[in-house]
């Protein structure tokens, strides 16, 4: 049942052509960056900001809106003898394919073809964090739209969460670090950063990108904790937790929801 | 013309008259010592291939020792291998290995003391503590040698080329690795150091103190433990060198401490933790350098003053410039900064709005280092922009009034 539902959703997705515009946007962006930059690390800095800001925004809004828009379709399906779990999964997975697929097609492929002989590890870690961030913010969007029935409320909450995780949280870290600057604050700062998926992705890429900066006196503390095998594993694990947790919560909410 | 012919005849004759060439077929420690004993001043001893174990070989007269196929002398681990106390000694084509390590003595493969006009070239030094150690000597040439140190830590290793109270030395075209400092100079004036490659040394690729009027050209300093550190010296010329891949908590491409009135021209400073670090001293000029892909491109502490930076290319560094004070007497003119986003209406190649190279983030990280965890954060980017529009914390006099719109080179 799941597969036929998913197939239907995917057909809808392709009909809407949205995913192709999304992929085209990334493609043009990457090519333009390579064309205008004199140094490929400049491309990475720009892409890093795109990945940390644009992908979460688009994913969380798409997640929220898509669920609201397919509300009538879902209500119709609920009248049929179909498991709720399958309805939710098909909806979620098709959105996941839309956001992540668009990113991988438009940004991943050109990036890898440009960097195949140079900084391939950096390119892969950029793409990986883009994929994970897309998934995380999408599932956050689903959770929000399951929490609020009002579309405007949901959109507001999505924007607030995006703004908090992408901007304010770093301000919070800045404040805490300044306030406690007389203490050895490196480890608490690291733990604080690791609680935010956006910061996780940023550190994950920064470890590759600004290797030399993190080799500095205090940077070495971070590098020794994050840059090791176990550091990378725990970063990825935390990001997957961030993806799975809102997903499970929204699945539970959806299963008990009174439409 | 007549004078030249006479001169040539004189030189040829003098060769016949005073010096002879001895071939040492049977290369053993005793023979070698005896031959040096017997040789007249300015004789040449040619050593065919072979290996001997010897140390404390003393040369007290100007002889020329030439090895063919790198005959090797291994130390026994108790003393220097070769001690030179004479002028005009030539050592060529020899291999010295296993000097042994000592905590009491500065153990060297070749120890020169008060010897002038010596030439040490085309030799190989393998697993030596100090390789060439010269004290109170003048007009030495150390060229085209290969130094393969196997030092373990800073305390139990020595320098490949160590000059102490020497004058007018040429160090050229050597390949140096695995020592504590690749080239170390102290109280050594008027040296010319060129075309050397100093890499994978435990501490510094080049290290000098109190060594005025020196020239460093076309050297490559690669992947050394702490980069290059030069101190307490004035009137240095550094040109066409490459400082690369010096990564670590206390690693610098080029560390200048109390360096005065020096010129740093046309160098490439690539992929270091700190590209150029300046502390104390001042009045240095930095022209046409490429500073690319470092964490900190330039760090100037407030104790250094009146340095000038012109036509440098500063690209793809995490931080362009950082300093620890709002006071500044350094000048920046017509450099290319990749983070500059101004415009150029009259198309003269220089931006019309000034560039402030000290980012707010660089400034606060300098004061509160753990904040480096916010590197690449968009929040900091916004704060930087705000600071750019309304400067309040960063030093207002650290400014490039006419930054270049394009780097002088297209691709770096």
């Amino acid at each position: 049942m799941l597969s036929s539902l998913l197939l239907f959703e995917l057909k809808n997705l392709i009909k809407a052509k949205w995913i192709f515009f999304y992929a085209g946007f990334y493609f043009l962006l990457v090519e333009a960056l390579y064309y205008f930059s004199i140094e490929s690390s400049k491309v990475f800095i720009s892409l890093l900001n795109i990945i940390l800001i644009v992908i979460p925004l688009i994913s969380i809004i798409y997640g929220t809106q898509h669920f609201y828009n397919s509300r009538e379709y879902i209500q119709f399906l609920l009248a049929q003898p179909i498991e709720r779990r399958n309805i939710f999964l098909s909806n979620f997975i098709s959105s996941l394919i839309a956001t992540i697929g668009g990113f991988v097609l438009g940004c991943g492929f050109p990036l890898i073809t440009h960097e195949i002989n140079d900084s391939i590890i950096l390119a892969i870690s950029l793409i990986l964090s883009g994929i994970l961030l897309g998934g995380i913010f999408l599932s956050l969007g689903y959770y929000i739209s399951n929490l609020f029935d009002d579309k405007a409320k949901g959109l507001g909450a999505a924007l607030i969460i995006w703004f908090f995780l992408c901007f304010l949280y770093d301000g919070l870290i800045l404040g805490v670090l300044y306030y406690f600057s007389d203490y050895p604050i490196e480890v608490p700062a690291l733990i604080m950063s690791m609680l935010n998926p956006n910061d996780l992705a940023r550190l994950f890429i920064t470890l590759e990108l600004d290797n030399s900066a993190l080799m500095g006196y205090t940077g070495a503390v971070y590098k020794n904790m994050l840059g090791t095998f176990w550091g990378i594993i725990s970063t990825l694990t935390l990001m997957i937790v961030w993806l799975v947790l809102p997903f499970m919560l929204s699945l539970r909410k959806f299963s008990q929801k009174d439409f | 013309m007549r004078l030249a012919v006479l001169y040539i005849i004189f030189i040829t004759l003098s060769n016949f008259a005073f010096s002879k060439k001895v071939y040492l077929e049977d290369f053993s420690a005793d023979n070698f010592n005896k031959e040096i004993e017997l040789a007249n001043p300015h004789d040449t001893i040619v050593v065919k291939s072979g290996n001997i174990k010897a140390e404390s070989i003393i040369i007290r007269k100007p002889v020329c020792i030439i090895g063919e196929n790198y005959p090797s002398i291994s130390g026994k681990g108790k003393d220097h291998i070769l001690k030179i106390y004479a002028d005009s000694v030539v050592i060529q084509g020899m291999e010295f290995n296993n000097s042994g390590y000592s905590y009491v003595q500065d153990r060297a493969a070749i120890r020169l003391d008060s010897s002038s006009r010596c030439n040490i070239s085309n030799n190989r030094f393998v697993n030596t503590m100090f390789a060439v150690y010269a004290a109170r000597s003048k007009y030495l040439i150390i060229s085209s040698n290969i130094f393969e140190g196997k030092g373990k830590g800073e305390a139990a290793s020595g320098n490949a080329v160590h000059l102490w109270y020497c004058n007018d030395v040429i160090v050229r075209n050597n390949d140096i690795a695995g020592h504590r400092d690749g080239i170390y100079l102290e109280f050594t004036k008027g040296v010319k150091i060129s075309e050397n490659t100093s890499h994978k040394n435990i501490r510094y690729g080049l290290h000098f103190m109190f060594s005025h009027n020196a020239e460093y050209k076309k050297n490559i300093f690669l992947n050394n433990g702490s980069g290059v550190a030069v101190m307490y010296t004035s009137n240095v010329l550094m040109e066409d060198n490459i400082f690369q891949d010096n990564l670590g908590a206390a690693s610098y491409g080029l560390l200048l401490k109390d360096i005065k009135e020096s010129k740093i021209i046309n160098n490439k400073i690539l992929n270091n933790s700190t590209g150029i670090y300046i502390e104390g001293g001042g009045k240095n000029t930095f022209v046409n350098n490429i500073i690319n892909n470092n964490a900190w491109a330039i760090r100037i502490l407030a104790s250094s003053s009146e340095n000038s930076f012109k036509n440098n290319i500063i690209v793809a560094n995490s931080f362009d410039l950082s300093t620890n004070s709002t006071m500044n007497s350094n000048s920046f003119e017509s450099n290319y900064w990749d983070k500059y986003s101004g415009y150029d209406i009259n198309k003269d190649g220089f931006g019309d709005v000034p560039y402030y190279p000290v980012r707010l983030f660089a400034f606060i990280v300098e004061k509160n280092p753990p904040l480096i965890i916010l590197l690449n954060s968009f929040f900091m980017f916004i704060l930087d922009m705000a600071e750019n529009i309304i400067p309040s914390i960063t030093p207002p006099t650290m400014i490039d009034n006419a930054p270049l719109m394009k780097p002088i080179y297209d691709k770096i």
Side-chain angles (χ1 to χ4, degrees), chain A residues 9 59-75 78 84 87-92 94-95 138-149 151 250-251 253-255 257 259:
Chain A
E9 291 265 11
S59 301
I60 201 165
I61 291 197
Y62 186 85
T64 337
Q65 292 304 300
H66 186 67
F67 191 77
Y68 284 131
N69 290 344
S70 38
R71 199 179 172 83
E72 280 165 14
Y73 165 69
I74 287 169
Q75 275 168 349
L78 285 175
R84 279 195 167 201
I87 297 171
F88 183 80
L89 270 179
S90 68
N91 201 298
F92 183 80
S94 72
S95 313
L138 190 78
S139 61
L140 278 173
Y142 265 78
Y143 185 52
I144 291 164
S145 55
N146 272 297
L147 269 186
F148 303 104
D149 279 336
K151 204 170 168 176
S250 47
L251 179 61
K253 192 90 192 161
F254 182 83
S255 310
K257 201 174 164 91
F259 276 92

Side-chain angles (χ1 to χ4, degrees), chain B residues 195-199 218-222 224 240-244:
Chain B
E195 293 164 60
N196 302 289
T197 304
S198 182
H199 55 111
K218 296 185 182 165
N219 300 292
I220 299 172
F221 301 104
L222 196 68
N224 295 298
D240 297 318
N241 301 293
I242 297 175
F243 303 90
Q244 195 176 354

Side-chain angles (χ1 to χ4, degrees), chain B residues 126-146:
Chain B
V126 182
N127 193 18
T128 52
M129 187 176 173
F130 287 78
V132 177
Y133 188 122
R136 292 179 288 259
S137 304
K138 287 177 187 169
Y139 312 113
L140 305 176
I141 295 176
I142 300 167
S143 75
S144 306
N145 300 292
I146 295 172

Side-chain angles (χ1 to χ4, degrees), chain A residues 16 22 40 67 83 89 112 119 138 145-146 157 204 230:
Chain A
Y22 187 50
S40 72
F67 191 77
E83 253 187 90
L89 270 179
I112 282 179
S119 332
L138 190 78
S145 55
N146 272 297
F204 185 66
W230 288 111

Side-chain angles (χ1 to χ4, degrees), chain B residues 266-297:
Chain B
N266 264 339
N267 299 289
K268 285 186 181 155
I269 295 155
L270 316 168
N271 194 27
N272 305 290
S273 286
T274 303
I276 300 177
Y277 177 90
I278 310 169
E279 185 185 334
K283 295 189 179 160
N284 303 300
T285 39
F286 299 79
V287 183
N288 279 349
N289 300 293
I290 296 176
I291 308 172
N292 182 14
N293 209 10
N294 305 285
W296 279 264

